[in-house]
Amino acid sequence: MFTPHTAPDSGQGIPPGGAAALPPPHPFRTTTLPDRRALLGRLRIRRDRLLQGIAGYDWAPDLAENVGSARWFRGLGTMIGLGALALAMWPDESVIHAAPAMPIDAAALDEFRSQTIQPLALGSDTGRRMKATSAVVPRGTVAERTSLQLTATLGQGDSFTRMLERAGVSGEDTAQVARLISALAPPAQIAPGTRVDIALGRPGDGSTVRPLDRLAFRARFDLDLSVSRDGAGRLTLQQHPIRVDTTPLRIRGTVGTSIYLSARAAGAPIEAIQQYLQAIDQHLDLDAAVDPGDTFDMVVAYRRSASGESQVGELLYAGLEAGGKPEAQLLRWGKDGQFFEASGMGAQRTGLLMPVVGHITSTFGMRRHPILGYSRLHAGVDFGAAYGSPIYAVGDATVNFAGWHGGHGNYVRLDHGNGYATGYGHMSRIAVTPGTRVRAGQVIGYVGSTGLSTGPHLHYELYRGGTPVNPLSVQFTVSNQVDAAELAQFRARLAAIRQITPGAALTSLAPRQASAATASVREIDRLGN
């Protein structure tokens, strides 16, 4: 209906109007190489400025500073925004279903369930069940075992008879065993932890109780006992003595940085080292008298059996040498088991005897009391010493008081006879009882700070005719009153102890093997014969 209006062509390629039209510009303008380099330089400058701005921006201001300022609120907003962003990106707890590696049908799923831990969690009410098939033939009777071997252990506080009954031994056999072993090893004296090997026989017709065939155990360190049934059906007792050697164990060594560590390195038992240190400490100051390079010497009661067991007893001898000369030679002697210095046995000493290893901190006389605050007579001498240090009797005496004594705290008073008495105060612990007889050098207590005391020390008093006198003005004469026979026995015992070879008690008691000539025959030589 309508037709577009077109201008007539002049035939020369020139549109009407007489002017030639230029072609439209290209959509992409081409630039030269210097222009591109300048553009890249400007982009780098902008990038560097952006990175410097990001690095120099205070992203996390300290909220503990300038509280309420604009910077503080900006930091608070940053913290809240980051927290909200973290919560927004928090993953949910929905189950993600992944496709299985292979298709599983119902039978395979049931097999998987039967082999998981779920049956145990449900009380084993799921899982594969196995039952007897037609190939299983039930038996009418099952043969009894001809013998039953077991081991029973005697527990702490348990009785020997109850242990046998729990192991399945009949009451009649248990009573017979108790009667048999009571003469050599009373059941009440059998050590806890003893293992008993028991063999029970086949029960008789119509009976469910097995008879005792054999029983064996270690009754003592030197004796094994066994009970067995003879041909007539009676239980009999057999003794198996064990060879025991009682040679004491002697250990010598050089003191290093610590006498305890040096003794342990030499193989001394812990109990023996503790007894050794206690014995030496009662006669010497361990901190001042023992130096690296000294030699310690200890002898311990020791028992070893031919079956390989060993028992460590009490310390018998404690010695210390410095420069090749003995500093202490202490031997356990007498029914009380006290240690006596070899050089002082049967000897007599006269002089001022110190009741504790320490130093004088306060002398006898008037002084201002450190607690009460006024001056009064200090009727004794104070010795500063470490808490728990042993306190010794300065002479033979009788204990006429031991207990709490007002400001003296724990207090011991000794009567030495001839009107002399000594008192020892502020003890942490008392080691004697009233009425007992003590000897010079015996431990009667330990340093403490009981009563009116400002620190651990010993308050030592001396009374003459009931009046306190200066303890430093009186010298005691101490003599170990022993007869000639006892002194000879003491010296013989000391000589025997010192002749023990160190480590000799550790040699094996097992019988020696055959000679090397007969024991070293080669297998090929035996085949040749």
Side-chain angles (χ1 to χ4, degrees):
M1 181 172 180
F2 295 97
T3 59
H5 174 73
T6 58
D9 190 0
S10 63
Q12 299 297 325
I14 300 174
L22 295 174
H26 195 275
F28 298 99
R29 181 174 178 269
T30 60
T31 59
T32 62
L33 181 59
D35 294 337
R36 286 200 300 270
R37 289 179 177 175
L39 178 61
L40 291 176
R42 289 193 295 272
L43 292 177
R44 291 192 186 98
I45 293 174
R46 293 179 181 178
R47 182 198 62 186
D48 295 340
R49 290 177 179 176
L50 179 61
L51 293 177
Q52 291 177 0
I54 294 175
Y57 186 76
D58 190 6
W59 292 96
D62 190 356
L63 297 181
E65 300 178 355
N66 301 325
V67 179
S69 63
R71 179 174 175 271
W72 185 85
F73 279 106
R74 178 169 55 81
L76 179 63
T78 303
M79 183 186 68
I80 296 176
L82 293 177
L85 179 62
L87 292 177
M89 300 179 65
W90 192 272
D92 57 8
E93 297 182 358
S94 59
V95 179
I96 300 177
H97 297 278
M102 58 179 293
I104 301 177
D105 55 9
L109 180 61
D110 183 68
E111 182 67 20
F112 287 162
R113 290 179 63 251
S114 67
Q115 298 183 23
T116 61
I117 199 65
Q118 186 178 7
L120 295 178
L122 300 177
S124 298
D125 59 353
T126 63
R128 184 172 298 280
R129 291 174 170 80
M130 306 294 292
K131 65 178 181 179
T133 63
S134 58
V136 178
V137 178
R139 293 182 59 90
T141 58
V142 179
E144 290 282 353
R145 295 178 59 181
T146 58
S147 179
L148 183 62
Q149 307 287 336
L150 53 94
T151 301
T153 303
L154 181 63
Q156 186 74 34
D158 198 3
S159 70
F160 194 80
T161 56
R162 285 198 303 267
M163 177 198 64
L164 295 180
E165 292 175 353
R166 285 196 307 270
V169 181
S170 65
E172 181 180 355
D173 290 345
T174 299
Q176 292 185 29
V177 170
R179 287 194 299 269
L180 289 173
I181 68 175
S182 58
L184 297 175
Q189 298 180 7
I190 299 177
T194 301
R195 298 171 63 88
V196 182
D197 296 328
I198 302 173
L200 301 178
R202 177 184 297 178
D205 297 337
S207 174
T208 59
V209 179
R210 290 178 175 269
L212 177 65
D213 280 352
R214 189 176 183 276
L215 178 146
F217 67 99
R218 186 72 169 267
R220 294 195 309 265
F221 188 78
D222 59 348
L223 179 65
D224 278 347
L225 293 180
S226 63
V227 178
S228 59
R229 197 175 296 275
D230 59 11
R234 294 172 301 182
L235 293 176
T236 59
L237 177 67
Q238 295 84 33
Q239 303 181 40
H240 308 281
I242 301 174
R243 180 190 170 195
V244 175
D245 180 73
T246 58
T247 302
L249 173 62
R250 186 180 185 184
I251 301 174
R252 286 175 58 89
T254 303
V255 179
T257 57
S258 167
I259 189 171
Y260 177 85
L261 296 179
S262 302
R264 286 293 293 154
I270 295 178
E271 299 82 358
I273 300 176
Q274 293 174 346
Q275 296 180 48
Y276 174 85
L277 294 177
Q278 292 175 1
I280 294 293
D281 187 55
Q282 292 183 6
H283 294 78
L284 298 175
D285 185 359
L286 288 176
D287 296 329
V290 182
D291 297 319
D294 293 349
T295 302
F296 64 87
D297 190 0
M298 64 179 71
V299 179
V300 186
Y302 193 75
R303 296 201 303 168
R304 55 198 175 118
S305 66
S307 55
E309 294 85 358
S310 62
Q311 286 183 346
V312 179
E314 62 183 5
L315 183 71
L316 302 178
Y317 173 80
L320 181 67
E321 299 175 5
K325 298 180 179 180
E327 292 289 330
Q329 293 180 330
L330 306 176
L331 180 66
R332 188 184 294 273
W333 187 257
K335 61 180 181 180
D336 297 332
Q338 297 185 24
F339 282 94
F340 291 89
E341 169 63 43
S343 60
M345 191 65 171
Q348 178 173 297
R349 291 179 298 163
T350 300
L352 178 62
L353 303 181
M354 303 293 286
V356 69
V357 178
H359 58 282
I360 297 176
T361 59
S362 181
T363 58
F364 181 88
M366 297 297 296
R367 69 165 186 175
R368 184 178 179 84
H369 197 279
I371 296 180
L372 300 180
Y374 58 86
S375 297
R376 70 173 187 176
L377 176 65
H378 184 230
V381 175
D382 290 344
F383 292 89
Y387 188 93
S389 299
I391 301 172
Y392 312 106
V394 297
D396 297 346
T398 302
V399 180
N400 59 11
F401 182 86
W404 188 266
H405 191 259
H408 288 145
N410 290 327
Y411 179 79
V412 171
R413 186 161 179 159
L414 304 180
D415 183 7
H416 299 274
N418 298 324
Y420 285 94
T422 54
Y424 311 78
H426 307 306
M427 293 183 178
S428 62
R429 183 162 58 92
I430 297 174
V432 291
T433 56
T436 58
R437 182 72 179 172
V438 297
R439 308 181 71 171
Q442 180 176 338
V443 176
I444 59 175
Y446 300 89
V447 171
S449 185
T450 55
L452 294 178
S453 172
T454 58
H457 71 284
L458 169 66
H459 175 74
Y460 172 53
E461 298 175 340
L462 176 63
Y463 294 89
R464 182 166 52 194
T467 302
V469 296
N470 186 358
L472 302 180
S473 64
V474 177
Q475 294 183 348
F476 279 86
T477 299
V478 179
S479 60
N480 292 326
Q481 299 295 334
V482 292
D483 55 20
E486 184 180 1
L487 182 59
Q489 295 175 4
F490 178 88
R491 292 176 177 174
R493 175 63 174 167
L494 179 63
I497 286 288
R498 292 181 57 83
Q499 288 178 1
I500 298 175
T501 304
L506 299 178
T507 58
S508 176
L509 289 180
R512 296 191 176 275
Q513 304 296 327
S515 63
T518 58
S520 60
V521 178
R522 298 180 302 171
E523 188 67 23
I524 190 171
D525 296 333
R526 296 177 182 177
L527 294 177
N529 296 333

